[in-house]
Each structure stands twice: as C-alpha cells, then as structure tokens.
Amino acid sequence: MNAAQIEVIGWICVAFFGLSAAVWLLDLVTSVIKNESQRVILNRTIGGTLLGAIVSFVAAAVLGQGQPGPKPTPSPTPTAAPLSPPIPAPTSSASATPAPEPTSPSPTPTPTVFPTSDPESPQPPPNAPPIPSGDPPELLAWAEENLPPRPFLDQPLGSTYPPCALKLRGVGAPSGPSSDAGSCYALLQDYNSEVLNQHRDRRETYLPAVKERARSEANNQRWQYLRREYASFTFGKDAENYNRLSAVWRCDTHLMINLRDFGLAKERAGCPSALSEDE
C-alpha cells in the first residue's frame, strides 16, 4: 500500500470521527439519543474512530519517512565519439574494358504455314514473315495458272487514253461546232468499250476468284499475294486509278459533246485534272 492510499483511508476515518463527534456534541446539548444503549454505541464509535484516526496518521507518518523519495536522474556524461579512420583518396587507375561477349547468330526464321484468313482483313496473320517488294517469277507464274486473267496486267489503264482530250481542254471556246471534238469523242467511246468496260468486266471476274482462292490457300507467300491483289482492286491503287480514270473520261465526254454540237468549252462540275500522256 502506497502513501496515497493510506492518506485516503486516513481522511475517511477523520470524516467518520467528525460525524460521530457532531452527533455526540448534539446529544450533549439537546439529548437527542434517548436510549442508553444507543448512547453507549455512540461513545464506542467515537472512541474507535478517534483511535483509528490516530493510528492512521501515525502509520502514514512512519511510512512516509521510511519510503525513499525519487532519485534525481543523472545527466548523461558526454563521451567523445570515436574517430572514424580516414578514407583513402581514390587512386586513378585505368579500368580494363571488358571484351564484348560473342553473340551467336540468330537463326533465320523459316516461312510458316498457317490457316487461311479473309483477304479483306487489314492485318496479316500472326508471325507472318514479310515478303520482299517485287513478286518472284514463280509466284506470278502460279497466279497466271490458277487465277483468271488479271485486269490489264500488261499495261496501265491510261497508256492508251486519247491525247486529243487533253489538247482540246486547253484550246478555249471555238467559233462554232468543232469537228476535232467530234473525232475525239469517237476515240473516247472506243476507249470506253475497249479499255474501261473490259477492265470492269475482268475485275468482276477476277476479285471473286481471288477471294475464294484465299479462303483455301495455306501457303504464306501465296496468301499474302492474294490479299494484296484483293485490297488493291477494292480500295487500293488499282481501284483509285480506275475511279479517277472513269471520272476523267466522263468529264471529257461531256466536254466533247459541248464542243462538237455547240462550240462551248464547258465541263462538268467537280472534274478531276486531265490525264497526261504518260499516265
């Protein structure tokens, strides 16, 4: 039991003693307690309380003197930190350059045969080795043997376009109907029947055959060739050339009719530029 607890017990005893003493003094003055046995109990209570209080104070005083007080915390004595050994200065020494490790040559990938895919797909099959520009002769021979005639494989579409149309485009309005425009119109009609219509008919036969062949072709090189052909004649270079040439032909035909019949150098709206002789 520490001093605080003993002090609390002492104050409790003092409170009881004070209460008993107050009752006892009140009884002396006014004779509050009528029963003699109760008065005896009061006297005993006051005596016991007084005795307990005296004992508590004595015990608290004795224990408080014998209990050592808190010892002051000694301040730490500063000690000298051990000196670190001196760091030697780096010496400049040429480090030897390690020789490069020999690398083994990577193996040359072999062409992979993979399942058929739709030639309309914009992406080639996974891990497909690239085919160099310019198809090898054996691939072209295979295509000629297994596919319908390619639309104008031997020459470009504009190689036989009538040069008179380009000439008459820049002469301006004549004084009257032009016979040159009439002859040029006839040449344009021949070009349409011999070149444009034949190209369109051959294209309508060629494209379905290319697409159908690609669905069953497992050879990578042939499959990519079929894919390039289908894309070129659908939305690529060959399709663009054919569409532009058809638009130029329609504009030149309209112009030749105006020059032949009315002497008017009037073209259709939205006409592309004329074809040069080397296109």
Side-chain angles (χ1 to χ4, degrees):
M1 183 179 296
N2 54 23
Q5 294 174 345
I6 295 175
E7 185 177 0
V8 171
I9 295 174
W11 281 110
I12 293 174
C13 293
V14 170
F16 275 107
F17 176 74
L19 181 62
S20 301
V23 175
W24 180 68
L25 290 175
L26 184 63
D27 180 66
L28 290 178
V29 175
T30 61
S31 300
V32 175
I33 301 175
K34 305 298 183 182
N35 193 338
E36 187 64 27
S37 60
Q38 292 180 352
R39 184 175 285 107
V40 173
I41 294 173
L42 177 61
N43 292 333
R44 288 178 181 178
T45 301
I46 293 175
T49 304
L50 179 60
L51 180 61
I54 294 172
V55 172
S56 298
F57 276 109
V58 172
V62 172
L63 294 177
Q65 291 177 359
Q67 184 177 4
K71 297 181 180 180
T73 304
S75 59
T77 305
T79 57
L83 297 177
S84 58
I87 302 176
T91 59
S92 59
S93 59
S95 59
T97 303
E101 297 181 359
T103 56
S104 58
S106 57
T108 303
T110 56
T112 307
V113 177
F114 40 82
T116 308
S117 179
D118 191 352
E120 293 178 306
S121 173
Q123 298 295 331
N127 302 326
I131 296 179
S133 58
D135 296 313
E138 59 271 14
L139 180 60
L140 297 178
W142 171 86
E144 186 177 358
E145 181 179 355
N146 293 273
L147 296 175
R150 187 177 189 272
F152 295 89
L153 179 64
D154 52 345
Q155 59 186 8
L157 290 175
S159 59
T160 58
Y161 193 80
C164 61
L166 178 63
K167 178 181 178 181
L168 291 176
R169 272 195 174 198
V171 297
S175 56
S178 172
S179 59
D180 292 339
S183 60
C184 188
Y185 175 81
L187 294 176
L188 287 173
Q189 295 306 310
D190 293 340
Y191 178 84
N192 180 53
S193 60
E194 296 175 2
V195 178
L196 292 182
N197 290 343
Q198 289 190 25
H199 181 275
R200 181 194 60 200
D201 296 340
R202 294 175 70 174
R203 178 179 175 274
E204 291 178 357
T205 304
Y206 183 72
L207 281 181
V210 168
K211 185 175 182 179
E212 184 64 27
R213 183 74 188 194
R215 294 184 183 276
S216 59
E217 182 58 58
N219 181 271
N220 176 36
Q221 191 178 50
R222 296 174 183 175
W223 187 91
Q224 290 201 19
Y225 173 83
L226 295 170
R227 175 178 173 271
R228 291 197 309 271
E229 285 291 281
Y230 190 90
S232 180
F233 283 99
T234 304
F235 53 83
K237 182 178 180 181
D238 289 281
E240 293 176 357
N241 292 341
Y242 174 75
N243 292 335
R244 178 172 179 264
L245 186 59
S246 299
V248 171
W249 176 83
R250 287 191 296 268
C251 290
D252 288 344
T253 301
H254 182 83
L255 176 62
M256 297 307 134
I257 293 176
N258 286 331
L259 289 175
R260 181 193 63 186
D261 299 339
F262 310 106
L264 298 177
K266 182 178 180 181
E267 290 185 326
R268 293 164 58 102
C271 287
S273 59
L275 293 172
S276 60
E277 296 183 1
D278 55 350
E279 285 186 278

